[in-house]
Amino acid sequence: MNTQLPTLADLRALALTQALQHKIDHKTKPRGSLGRLEALALQLGEILGSDSPVLQDPQLVVFAGDHGLVRRGVSAYPSDVSWQMVENFLAGGAAVSVFSRVNQIALTVVDCGVKHDFLAGLPAGTGRPGLRVCKVPGAEQGTADSSEQPAMTLQQCQQALQHGLNLVKTLPGNALLLGEMGIGNTSAASLLLARLAGLEIDLCTGAGTGLDASAVQRKTTILREVLARHPHAIAPLDALAALGGFEIATMVGAVLQAAHERRVIVVDGFIASSAVLVAHALQPLVLQRCVFAHRSGERGHEFMLQYLGVQALLDLGLRLGEGSGAALAWPLLQAACAMLREMASFESAGVSEKTAEQAAQV
């Protein structure tokens, strides 16, 4: 199987960018006084191709998968927590469930390779509301132990990418918010950061679900062994197959398809950013479509953001994952678009631009 990945066009259109900037600059405020919200409004207008952008039917997708590397003790929690948390999402009890409800964001959980059958006992062909099952045949239990062999074969990786591409094609709306669940996936994200950004694994490895300092050191040693076992996994998809997870690979496909469709992509924390890291290595223009919700408390995320040359909207010390930070940042995107559409200009409000600026400086 050779997945055909979508190619991305450059969104930059001088006429639209100038129109957006002119509109922002002539709102009833001193220029630049809304700070980074103005840059966000400009970006959203460019993504959606409008100087009056409207965000419609936002979709938060939690990509879930298990990792064979967990048996090496890289997480404070057992793998069973992956499927238990998926059930919590489906029952509406997780943080991301709450934040999605508050912000009226549709929530979908995708089983990309969780060691559990969420459809057990149901009649054949029956689904569950809010759940999509997108397991790769032959890898239904998640990835292999990457300290012993590649986490996925290249074919399995490509199948997971295709699942992500296909999934986004079925979703309504023009905004995709990224979430994930998978015990052990901070290890996969750390490995991808180290390999694709050329960083030392020590810089990329953090506490994950709550490891103490000695456990982080042990985790770092294991991850260094994994990198040494796969020295030739350098190209983006080779690295993803050798080091990543099925939820990350599926997310990469989803990111590329959403970018191709000019959806706004709201990136959560460390693991979601690792999927964008891979997507960026394949299609650098993907970053034009990405809004980074927050800077995670996970150690490697700061270095990942620096490598990509981006700045996150929030810095709240979050390290939960799930898409929780993306859901929390969503109102800022809504506000940025509403500012473009609804805030008066000096001309329409009958306010003297010079007088308003002077008054604001008093």
Side-chain angles (χ1 to χ4, degrees):
M1 177 180 183
N2 190 11
T3 301
Q4 185 65 41
L5 300 177
T7 56
L8 304 183
D10 192 337
L11 292 186
R12 288 173 295 188
L14 183 59
L16 175 60
T17 299
Q18 289 177 336
L20 282 162
Q21 193 63 59
H22 182 273
K23 192 171 185 180
I24 292 167
D25 288 344
H26 290 81
K27 298 292 186 182
T28 47
K29 59 173 181 58
R31 290 192 184 189
S33 60
L34 283 176
R36 292 183 55 211
L37 195 73
E38 297 187 19
L40 177 60
L42 179 67
Q43 182 187 11
L44 295 174
E46 288 177 331
I47 296 170
L48 298 176
S50 171
D51 68 355
S52 299
V54 178
L55 295 165
Q56 299 174 327
D57 296 321
Q59 305 291 312
L60 199 160
V61 181
V62 178
F63 299 83
D66 273 312
H67 296 256
L69 186 62
V70 168
R71 65 175 62 99
R72 294 291 306 276
V74 294
S75 174
Y77 286 84
S79 288
D80 278 352
V81 172
S82 297
W83 74 259
Q84 291 164 356
M85 282 303 300
V86 168
E87 290 289 1
N88 193 21
F89 299 143
L90 296 175
V96 73
S97 311
V98 174
F99 300 155
S100 295
R101 280 198 301 273
V102 166
N103 291 306
Q104 298 182 311
I105 302 168
L107 178 63
T108 302
V109 185
V110 183
D111 176 7
C112 307
V114 179
K115 290 193 291 185
H116 189 75
D117 184 357
F118 295 102
L119 304 180
L122 297 178
T126 303
R128 294 177 61 181
L131 174 70
R132 301 281 190 97
V133 178
C134 296
K135 293 180 186 283
V136 171
E140 291 85 358
Q141 304 298 303
T143 61
D145 182 350
S146 57
S147 69
E148 298 179 351
Q149 65 187 85
M152 304 167 254
T153 67
L154 188 56
Q155 183 179 25
Q156 289 172 336
C157 182
Q158 290 173 333
Q159 287 177 309
L161 283 167
Q162 189 64 56
H163 286 163
L165 297 171
N166 295 342
L167 172 72
V168 169
K169 293 175 183 178
T170 70
L171 296 176
N174 61 8
L176 174 69
L177 292 79
L178 303 177
E180 45 64 39
M181 180 64 220
I183 297 301
N185 62 12
T186 59
S187 291
S190 297
L191 290 165
L192 288 169
L193 175 59
R195 180 54 51 87
L196 295 179
L199 299 176
E200 292 295 328
I201 192 62
D202 309 65
L203 295 176
C204 306
T205 307
T209 49
L211 297 173
D212 61 23
S214 62
V216 171
Q217 283 193 343
R218 186 170 63 251
K219 174 181 176 182
T220 304
T221 298
I222 293 167
L223 299 190
R224 188 175 290 109
E225 292 174 9
V226 173
L227 291 170
R229 178 167 286 276
H230 306 287
H232 303 299
I234 303 297
L237 291 188
D238 291 338
L240 180 59
L243 309 171
F246 281 114
E247 78 276 38
I248 297 174
T250 308
M251 203 176 344
V252 172
V255 166
L256 290 172
Q257 184 62 33
H260 178 68
E261 296 178 12
R262 291 183 69 153
R263 301 191 192 215
V264 175
I265 301 167
V266 186
V267 186
D268 189 43
F270 185 44
I271 292 92
S273 296
S274 76
V276 174
L277 179 73
V278 177
H280 167 263
L282 295 166
Q283 293 279 349
L285 290 174
V286 74
L287 291 185
Q288 292 180 332
R289 286 81 162 169
C290 291
V291 175
F292 289 80
H294 74 107
R295 185 172 76 89
S296 169
E298 183 66 19
R299 176 176 172 82
H301 197 217
E302 180 177 1
F303 296 105
M304 192 177 285
L305 296 175
Q306 289 176 2
Y307 177 77
L308 292 172
V310 297
Q311 189 174 5
L313 293 176
L314 303 174
D315 189 352
L316 302 176
L318 306 175
R319 55 180 183 86
L320 174 61
E322 303 181 1
S324 52
L328 288 171
W330 181 248
L332 292 176
L333 280 74
Q334 292 178 304
C337 288
M339 181 267 284
L340 274 171
R341 296 193 312 270
E342 301 173 22
M343 188 175 174
S345 67
F346 285 109
E347 183 179 5
S348 68
V351 176
S352 167
E353 223 169 317
K354 184 176 181 181
T355 301
E357 290 178 355
Q358 289 174 334
Q361 293 169 5
V362 173

